[in-house]
Amino acid sequence: MRMSSRIPALAVAGALAAASLTACGGDSTSATGDKNDRVKIMVGGLDKVIYLPVMLTERLGYFKDEGVAVQLLTEPAGVQAETALVSGDVQGTVGFYDHTLDLQVKGKHVQSVVQLSQAPGEVEIVSNKAADDIGSAKDFKGKKLGVTGLGSSTDFLTKYLAVKNGVQTSEFTPVAVGAGQTFISALQQGSIQGGMTTDPTVATILDKKLGRILIDMRTPEGSKKALGGLYPSSSLYMQTEWVNAHKATVQKLANAFVKTLKWMSTHSADEIAAKMPADYAQGGGAALYAQSIKNTLPMFTTDGVMPPDGPATVERVLKAFNPNLKNADVDLSKTYTTEFVKKAN
């Protein structure tokens, strides 16, 4: 895989992407597409089930079918993927929609062009050792809680759950532990008492009996219970200026992703798992990986369209704890567009 020299942090994550992409044809770039249709997309964890549509689109050949050459790159946390976009190293990021609001108040204009999901897909896990001490988010006080990265969406959501339940953000310690094995190791070693993560990490923790679920936001119902509404999360977001200057290319990307979402809605978790790189199971085995997909499937949209009330829910959640957003006027209409996905549908 050819990577930009301006992304030095990709050594380990890039190896994962390269290995996975080799399994689907030996190169991270689809075979077709002229120089105007070459796009680098950074993903906040290619092997996470919440971002599954990205690699699945590649594996199904839909990028190639649309004539766009896509190079997929990976970082362990969404906040790092966001940084790659803002710095201009990539043209697109697949991460949580909430970053578009956070960036707007910082003077950076980005927008979601394909909304892959309508719920976070996140789970707050508590280690067995701390199970007696943490019965709800009210017990976060004084605890060390794992997040993928500081400033990441898992960090955002953890802070919201704390504040919502009477715990100030200064009263607990978020610890950046990534996902997968690094998260599991932190839980086993007691570096954290709990934390927010996704499948297949969740499935592995439960299978190994290392912890239990405290809060489950993998479904629309779970999102509404924890956050008070649908919470659009995984999305393809891009700098607004770039979108406006490359509408034909963005349309091809939207077409490809919408095809994938529709394919997912008509196939089983086992069929989806069979299309994915074998190493995405994170050592848990094919059956456990398929189960983790099944548990997370309800979070995805079927058409890539932003849920009507979703942006307002995200704004309310972020303003509950984020001082930069609390008194800021956010123009939600500039944080997403349905122009491309509606044409794709």
Side-chain angles (χ1 to χ4, degrees):
M1 177 187 294
R2 292 184 60 193
M3 300 183 192
S4 168
S5 60
R6 297 172 62 193
I7 315 178
L10 289 178
V12 176
L16 169 63
S20 302
L21 290 161
T22 298
C24 68
D27 197 291
S28 62
T29 305
S30 302
T32 6
D34 59 35
K35 64 180 181 180
N36 295 318
D37 287 324
R38 294 187 181 277
V39 180
K40 289 181 182 178
I41 297 178
M42 182 69 78
V43 185
L46 262 172
D47 58 340
K48 296 177 184 177
V49 176
I50 57 171
Y51 299 137
L52 178 149
V54 185
M55 180 56 75
L56 184 59
T57 302
E58 175 76 18
R59 303 281 281 193
L60 291 172
Y62 291 159
F63 291 134
K64 181 178 179 180
D65 289 348
E66 289 297 323
V68 58
V70 176
Q71 184 179 9
L72 299 178
L73 302 168
T74 186
E75 280 281 15
V79 65
Q80 294 162 331
E82 169 199 294
T83 300
L85 178 71
V86 173
S87 66
D89 286 316
V90 298
Q91 290 75 51
T93 289
V94 173
F96 271 36
Y97 161 73
D98 52 23
H99 289 290
T100 68
L101 280 72
D102 188 52
L103 285 169
Q104 187 182 114
V105 300
K106 296 174 181 176
K108 306 292 184 181
H109 297 288
V110 301
Q111 59 183 186
S112 165
V113 296
V114 182
Q115 195 58 48
L116 301 173
S117 60
Q118 57 189 335
E122 301 283 353
V123 174
E124 185 69 26
I125 288 279
V126 176
S127 73
N128 288 336
K129 297 175 183 177
D132 293 338
D133 298 326
I134 307 177
S136 73
K138 293 179 181 179
D139 301 319
F140 283 178
K141 187 174 181 179
K143 303 300 189 296
K144 292 181 179 179
L145 302 174
V147 296
T148 52
L150 301 181
S152 67
S153 295
T154 52
D155 190 20
F156 291 164
L157 289 172
T158 302
K159 287 176 178 174
Y160 172 75
L161 292 173
V163 171
K164 179 187 176 185
N165 287 277
V167 180
Q168 298 304 307
T169 58
S170 60
E171 294 181 313
F172 71 95
T173 304
V175 182
V177 293
Q181 191 53 52
T182 55
F183 184 100
I184 294 170
S185 295
L187 200 69
Q188 286 178 304
Q189 295 167 8
S191 303
I192 56 174
Q193 286 79 54
M196 191 170 292
T197 191
T198 60
D199 276 310
T201 307
V202 174
T204 302
I205 290 170
L206 297 179
D207 183 63
K208 292 183 176 181
K209 296 180 172 52
L210 300 175
R212 63 176 179 82
I213 292 175
L214 184 69
I215 300 168
D216 193 338
M217 296 178 285
R218 291 177 291 185
T219 66
E221 294 73 26
S223 177
K224 292 174 182 177
K225 182 178 179 181
L227 305 173
L230 292 179
Y231 194 93
S233 56
S234 306
S235 66
L236 170 64
Y237 64 85
M238 314 178 90
Q239 295 204 50
T240 303
E241 184 178 3
W242 196 92
V243 171
N244 292 335
H246 301 82
K247 287 196 172 187
T249 300
V250 177
Q251 187 63 59
K252 291 177 182 180
L253 292 170
N255 293 345
F257 278 121
V258 169
K259 283 182 185 177
T260 298
L261 292 169
K262 291 185 181 302
W263 189 93
M264 288 170 60
S265 71
T266 59
H267 290 75
S268 69
D270 286 330
E271 290 171 320
I272 295 170
K275 291 288 185 181
M276 301 300 288
D279 61 334
Y280 279 24
Q282 293 184 3
L288 191 62
Y289 182 57
Q291 184 61 46
S292 71
I293 292 175
K294 184 178 180 179
N295 292 339
T296 307
L297 271 179
M299 74 175 280
F300 295 109
T301 68
T302 59
D303 54 13
V305 177
M306 175 68 74
D309 299 329
T313 300
V314 173
E315 182 182 29
R316 174 177 52 77
V317 167
L318 294 182
K319 285 193 171 186
F321 68 87
N322 190 323
N324 294 328
L325 278 155
K326 194 165 189 177
N327 299 311
D329 291 324
V330 179
D331 188 344
L332 293 176
S333 69
K334 292 182 179 179
T335 60
Y336 71 97
T337 177
T338 59
E339 172 187 352
F340 303 99
V341 290
K342 285 187 174 180
K343 287 181 181 178
N345 280 286

